[in-house]
Amino acid sequence: MAELHSEADNIENTAQCIMEAFKQFEVREGSVLHYQQLYPFLQERYPHYKDVQKEAEHHLTKEGYVNPAPDGLLLTQVGHTQVWG
């Protein structure tokens, strides 16, 4: 059971780092955080992101915070409120 808990923690930590990246790069509602910005940010903050990145993105999509874009993640109105208050 520890492995599943660890993977869940990795997904949650990666999702939190993605949301932090929106603030770091001053991405606002309706704008895209490009993967070319996101990947180095994640690598620096949470190197384990590669294992669970897609699951973290799916989690954020289900929560309504982001929508997939061809070259990154689009911040939704709900996500904007979460990031910027």
Side-chain angles (χ1 to χ4, degrees), residues 25-36:
F25 294 108
E26 299 184 8
V27 176
R28 302 294 177 156
E29 176 186 345
S31 295
V32 173
L33 173 61
H34 298 277
Y35 287 126
Q36 66 189 30

Side-chain angles (χ1 to χ4, degrees), residues 2-15:
E3 290 178 13
L4 292 176
H5 181 71
S6 178
E7 184 170 328
D9 285 347
N10 283 343
I11 292 169
E12 184 61 33
N13 288 336
T14 301

Side-chain angles (χ1 to χ4, degrees), residues 17-77:
C17 285
I18 291 170
M19 295 303 285
E20 289 172 18
F22 281 105
K23 190 161 196 162
Q24 173 74 27
F25 294 108
E26 299 184 8
V27 176
R28 302 294 177 156
E29 176 186 345
S31 295
V32 173
L33 173 61
H34 298 277
Y35 287 126
Q36 66 189 30
Q37 293 174 302
L38 179 59
Y39 291 155
F41 181 86
L42 289 175
Q43 182 63 42
E44 181 181 310
R45 296 271 182 358
Y46 194 69
H48 300 290
Y49 82 92
K50 291 178 184 175
D51 299 335
V52 294
Q53 175 205 344
K54 291 297 176 194
E55 291 89 343
E57 289 179 16
H58 181 70
H59 171 71
L60 293 174
T61 301
K62 275 184 15 185
E63 294 294 320
Y65 296 153
V66 303
N67 285 324
D71 58 346
L73 298 171
L74 181 126
L75 189 63
T76 65
Q77 182 179 13

